[in-house]
Structure formats: C-alpha cells, structure tokens
Amino acid sequence: MAGVLPVFFILAIVIALMTCAAVFTPKGPQQVVIRTAIMLTLASCYLMWMVTYLAQLHPLISPIRTVEAE
C-alpha cells in the first residue's frame, strides 16, 4: 500500500495548485484561457508522472537475471 501513497499525495498537491490557479488568475479578457492552460498543464504533468511512477512500481515485463556458470 505504501507504493500508491505518493500518487495520492502528489494528487492533493496538484489539486491545491489548480485551486490556486483558479483563484489567483488575473482578471482580464483572457482569464479563462490562462486558467484553462494552467490547469491542463498541471493535469498533463500529473498524469505523465503517475503513469511513469506506476510503470516503474509494477513493470509489465520483469527483468530476467542471467547467471553465468564458471
């Protein structure tokens, strides 16, 4: 269970950053575009990190160890 804990911890951080992006985006004609770009960037980076982390945690193909006879 400890292997999946960082996934939820980082998710909480990303959700907090998305909330900050929604609250602190400056007012203006492009506010929605800026907010959407920031949130999509954070979501994409989180998904890429999560897939990479879980692929290393549970690989599909296990490494095969070769033993040389002497």
Side-chain angles (χ1 to χ4, degrees):
M1 187 67 182
V4 183
L5 189 62
V7 174
F8 294 117
F9 180 71
I10 299 296
L11 177 63
I13 292 173
V14 168
I15 289 174
L17 288 172
M18 285 184 174
T19 304
C20 289
V23 172
F24 297 117
T25 304
K27 302 280 189 230
Q30 301 296 325
Q31 179 183 14
V32 176
V33 175
I34 295 170
R35 184 184 301 160
T36 304
I38 292 171
M39 288 186 176
L40 280 174
T41 301
L42 288 169
S44 299
C45 288
Y46 171 74
L47 284 174
M48 187 63 196
W49 173 83
M50 183 188 69
V51 167
T52 304
Y53 179 77
L54 291 176
Q56 291 178 6
L57 193 61
H58 303 291
L60 292 176
I61 302 171
S62 299
I64 299 172
R65 188 173 153 188
T66 59
V67 179
E68 296 180 19
E70 291 184 26

